[in-house]
Amino acid sequence: AYGGPQALDIDWEERVGKPRREVLRYVSRVKPDLVVLAKSGKPRGFAAFLGSVAEETAYRAHASVLVIPPEG
């Protein structure tokens, strides 16, 4: 049963480095319930469906991953 509105604890952090590696390091350190990523770029193959960073995060992270499609 839905218990009504609850406060969300949202974290934001900027990192320098390779995006795939940095996202996975962050997820490993923080252990979030949900990771939200925006899809961007135009990679090939299965990565074209999600985006290469989103694909690797969804595959390797020990957290739920929500991928937001680009506008348009």
Side-chain angles (χ1 to χ4, degrees), residues 17-54:
K18 295 185 178 188
R20 293 179 211 185
R21 185 180 321 155
E22 294 304 318
V23 169
L24 290 171
R25 282 182 181 170
Y26 180 81
V27 171
S28 178
R29 180 173 55 85
V30 175
K31 297 178 181 22
D33 295 321
L34 177 66
V35 177
V36 180
L37 297 171
K39 179 185 179 300
S40 64
K42 296 182 180 180
R44 298 177 183 251
F46 182 71
F49 178 68
L50 288 179
S52 60
V53 174

